């Protein structure tokens, strides 16, 4: 396990409780010593006793020695440099599994794409895990589930068979794009929910944003090649519900602080851990524009982060449009004038680009 934050440590516990031999790499030697000797990670999981068989080190070469599966859970913007440091110590046939829910700001790439770029391993040896996974609840052994996704069903099943125990169940799919984007996009909607919560709006507003947010998530992911069913499963809707409604969610908490009037630098300073949603807004909107996908909720979040929209003004904009339109369904169908025009425009753009979307070569 590369990474000893709350989710990395929790997932190491999941693996150890399932019978795996697990070594955590922690960047800070003192944290590695606490995990190894005291069976605690007081910085990130206060009050949680870690399994006796769980080991930790601050030496990456020792952490990776003989590893058959390497789980990576570091801040998304540091992934590339950590993979470069890890590459000399990786076994030739090791599977690499991403637990991260972000995109690289400089490239807009998903975490599995960064792994494929940096490491000399086959795509079939890369997997991602996502779902409604609030670390502290799982560390307390409250039951939940997640999705393991890989282009290789065999790899997904192999990872899922290790990533399960009496309180954690793993399902599998081969839709890596949908699984990863579900984990990224729900963070942005959770920030929006936090903003309106902090601004004093109630449950109707939040339910509207969650529902319309799922539509934005699905439109975006499908435009990049995902299957729509993935976004209505654990990696999409499941994760969205958990992240939007829980005070344990860092993205929800950051949004609430923004809604209460704190400026972005103050919010970043108050958060003790990385808040992936804040870093992902810009790259996701750039990717959305490349595919002609409209994301009004995420755009409103961007404006709040930039200080150009007051938090109290966000909710009316989130649930209205220039003209009445049909409610889009999760299978990509649409009823109503503006929705139809958007779909028609996207089809025309594809025809102009030889059957391809203007933002890339995926059909």
């Amino acid at each position: 396990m590369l990474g000893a934050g709350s989710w990395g440590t929790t997932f190491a516990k999941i693996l150890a409780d399932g019978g795996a031999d697990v070594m955590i790499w922690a960047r800070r030697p003192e944290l590695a010593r606490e995990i190894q000797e005291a069976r605690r990670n007081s910085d990130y999981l206060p009050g949680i006793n870690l399994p006796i068989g769980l080991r930790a080190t601050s030496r990456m070469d020792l952490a990776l020695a003989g590893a058959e599966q390497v789980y990576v859970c570091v801040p998304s913007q540091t992934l590339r440099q950590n993979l470069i440091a890890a590459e000399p110590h990786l076994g030739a046939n090791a599977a690499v599994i991403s637990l991260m829910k972000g995109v690289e700001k400089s490239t807009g790439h998903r975490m599995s794409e960064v792994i494929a770029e940096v490491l000399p391993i086959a795509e079939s040896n890369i997997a991602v895990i996502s779902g409604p996974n609030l670390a502290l609840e799982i560390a307390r052994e409250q039951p939940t589930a997640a999705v393991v996704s890989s282009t290789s069903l065999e790899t997904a099943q192999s990872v899922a068979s290790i990533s399960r125990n009496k309180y954690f169940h793993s399902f599998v799919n081969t839709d890596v794009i949908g699984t990863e984007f579900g984990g990224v996009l729900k963070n942005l909607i959770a920030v929006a929910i936090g903003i309106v919560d902090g601004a004093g709006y109630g449950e109707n507003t939040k339910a509207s944003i969650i529902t319309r947010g799922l539509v934005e998530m699905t439109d975006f992911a499908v435009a990049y090649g995902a299957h729509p069913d993935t976004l209505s499963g654990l990696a999409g809707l499941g994760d969205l519900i958990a992240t939007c409604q829980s005070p344990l969610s860092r993205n929800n908490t950051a949004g609430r602080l923004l809604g209460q009037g704190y400026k972005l630098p103050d919010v970043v300073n108050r958060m003790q851990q990385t808040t992936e949603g804040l870093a992902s807004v810009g790259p996701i909107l750039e990717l959305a524009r490349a595919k002609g996908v409209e994301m009004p909720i995420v755009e409103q979040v961007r404006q709040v982060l930039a200080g150009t929209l007051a938090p109290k003004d966000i909710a009316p904009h989130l649930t209205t449009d220039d003209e009445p339109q049909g409610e889009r369904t999760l299978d990509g169908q649409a009823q109503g004038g503006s929705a139809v025009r958007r779909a028609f425009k996207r089809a025309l753009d594809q025809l102009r680009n030889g059957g391809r979307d203007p933002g890339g070569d995926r059909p």
Side-chain angles (χ1 to χ4, degrees):
M1 175 66 66
L2 298 185
S6 57
W7 185 222
T9 305
T10 295
F11 210 89
K13 180 181 185 301
I14 290 168
L15 296 168
D17 285 343
D21 179 20
V22 185
M23 173 77 85
I24 297 179
W25 171 77
R27 181 177 54 84
R28 292 182 287 132
E30 64 272 18
L31 180 54
R33 282 195 299 272
E34 182 187 26
I35 294 172
Q36 177 81 23
E37 298 172 6
R39 327 309 312 167
R40 291 292 186 101
N41 184 337
S42 55
D43 285 350
Y44 298 107
L45 294 175
I48 300 298
N49 293 318
L50 300 175
I52 293 176
L54 193 62
R55 297 172 294 143
T57 179
S58 59
R59 287 182 52 181
M60 193 170 285
D61 59 334
L62 293 180
L64 295 174
E68 297 177 6
Q69 295 182 353
V70 177
Y71 294 77
V72 188
C73 193
V74 298
S76 59
Q77 306 314 311
T78 71
L79 174 60
R80 189 175 294 269
Q81 65 196 60
N82 278 297
L83 291 177
I84 291 171
E87 193 272 330
H89 312 295
L90 279 174
N93 297 315
V96 179
I97 302 98
S98 168
L99 300 174
M100 297 160 288
K101 298 177 179 179
V103 293
E104 190 175 47
K105 291 176 69 173
S106 60
T107 63
H109 289 174
R110 292 174 283 112
M111 299 293 95
S112 66
E113 292 178 309
V114 177
I115 293 170
E117 284 182 10
V118 176
L119 300 180
I121 63 175
E123 183 182 23
S124 59
N125 274 355
I126 300 172
V128 302
I129 298 178
S130 193
N133 301 147
L134 297 166
L136 189 56
E137 288 186 5
I138 300 174
R140 291 170 176 162
E141 302 187 6
Q142 298 179 13
T144 192
V147 173
V148 180
S149 184
S150 173
T151 58
S152 164
L153 183 58
E154 181 181 358
T155 296
Q157 290 172 331
S158 174
V159 172
S161 68
I162 300 295
S163 307
R164 57 170 48 189
N165 57 43
K166 64 181 181 180
Y167 57 87
F168 192 89
H169 185 80
S170 291
F171 295 85
V172 299
N173 72 33
T174 55
D175 183 9
V176 176
I177 296 171
T179 300
E180 279 193 289
F181 273 140
V184 173
L185 296 167
K186 58 85 185 179
N187 287 334
L188 313 187
I189 306 304
V191 173
I193 290 293
I195 291 171
V196 299
D197 191 25
Y201 291 105
E203 300 308 314
N204 291 332
T205 305
K206 287 183 277 188
S208 298
I209 293 171
I210 289 172
T211 306
R212 299 305 301 169
L214 181 60
V215 173
E216 290 190 22
M217 291 169 57
T218 304
D219 280 355
F220 178 100
V222 169
Y224 273 92
H227 194 285
D229 286 352
T230 304
L231 277 298
S232 62
L234 288 167
L237 178 59
D239 203 1
L240 178 65
I241 292 171
T243 308
C244 286
Q245 72 177 10
S246 174
L248 296 175
S249 162
R250 294 192 293 271
N251 295 284
N252 184 293
T253 300
R256 195 179 308 113
L257 292 171
L258 289 164
Q260 292 169 353
Y262 289 92
K263 302 301 182 186
L264 180 57
D266 297 326
V267 172
V268 172
N269 289 335
R270 290 174 68 94
M271 301 298 294
Q272 296 181 344
Q273 301 183 56
T274 301
T275 305
E276 294 287 7
L278 299 181
S280 298
V281 172
I284 287 296
L285 284 174
E286 288 185 14
L287 291 171
R289 282 191 289 269
K291 292 289 188 181
V293 177
E294 295 182 8
M295 303 189 77
I297 295 175
V298 180
E299 174 58 33
Q300 294 284 327
V301 171
R302 183 197 66 77
Q303 292 178 31
V304 172
L305 294 178
T308 59
L309 180 69
K312 66 181 179 60
D313 293 332
I314 190 172
H317 296 79
L318 291 175
T319 52
T320 60
D321 201 356
D322 293 338
E323 60 185 67
Q325 67 180 64
E327 183 177 23
R328 301 167 74 94
T329 62
L330 295 183
D331 62 0
Q333 300 294 320
Q335 294 179 351
S338 60
V340 170
R341 280 197 296 274
R342 286 196 292 269
F344 185 63
K345 180 180 182 299
R346 191 177 301 170
L348 285 177
D349 288 340
Q350 290 175 342
L351 289 172
R352 293 190 188 106
N353 287 272
R356 297 174 298 168
D357 278 348
D361 57 8
R362 293 188 179 90

